[in-house]
Amino acid sequence: QAQLVESGGGTVQAGGSLKLSCVASQALSADCEMGWYRATTSNERARPSERELVARHWTDDTITYNEHAKGRFTLSRDKVNNKLYLEMTALKSDDTAVYYCRTNCLGTVYWGQGTQVTVSS
């Protein structure tokens, strides 16, 4: 069973930047997509399926961004080292949330524990 560990969260002023990292405890096959999701204050108790997509790296190496992330966030994946990164710039108070790393390997889904990002205005 793969475990995902996120890091890089913290408190930053509006307009600032953060880079989140996620590492998988075991090698992920090429059939595994990876992505970042978030749960904001209003839905911090949301079920995993209700967390908001931020960005997703598909198995064909294409990347999908949610509208709120386009132009500000950059997703990258290091397949050799089983890592996923999310570089966030021009952060806004609305970006305050717990950010979760997720992988889906042919229908088997794993979530990390999340890392808190707080953007102060």
Side-chain angles (χ1 to χ4, degrees):
Q1 183 173 353
Q3 290 185 329
L4 303 176
V5 178
E6 304 98 334
S7 62
T11 300
V12 63
Q13 289 189 331
S17 302
L18 280 175
K19 185 174 183 178
L20 305 183
S21 300
C22 170
V23 59
S25 61
Q26 64 187 51
L28 299 177
S29 76
D31 295 324
C32 297
E33 59 169 275
M34 294 188 77
W36 286 96
Y37 291 71
R38 70 185 187 182
T40 59
T41 302
S42 62
N43 68 342
E44 60 187 2
R45 295 183 180 179
R47 293 174 295 179
S49 60
E50 296 173 335
R51 293 168 181 167
E52 180 184 48
L53 171 69
V54 179
R56 180 187 293 164
H57 182 277
W58 297 89
T59 56
D60 63 358
D61 289 332
T62 58
I63 296 174
T64 299
Y65 292 96
N66 198 328
E67 283 299 319
H68 65 74
K70 287 181 180 178
R72 298 188 300 127
F73 295 179
T74 302
L75 184 71
S76 60
R77 182 172 177 179
D78 177 353
K79 291 184 176 180
V80 172
N81 295 300
N82 304 301
K83 293 183 176 180
L84 187 72
Y85 301 100
L86 183 69
E87 188 153 12
M88 305 185 292
T89 64
L91 283 162
K92 309 173 184 178
S93 56
D94 289 348
D95 295 317
T96 295
V98 178
Y99 285 72
Y100 296 90
C101 181
R102 171 187 181 271
T103 186
N104 182 345
C105 303
L106 298 176
T108 299
V109 176
Y110 300 103
W111 290 91
Q113 291 301 304
T115 185
Q116 175 71 48
V117 172
T118 302
V119 183
S120 61
S121 56

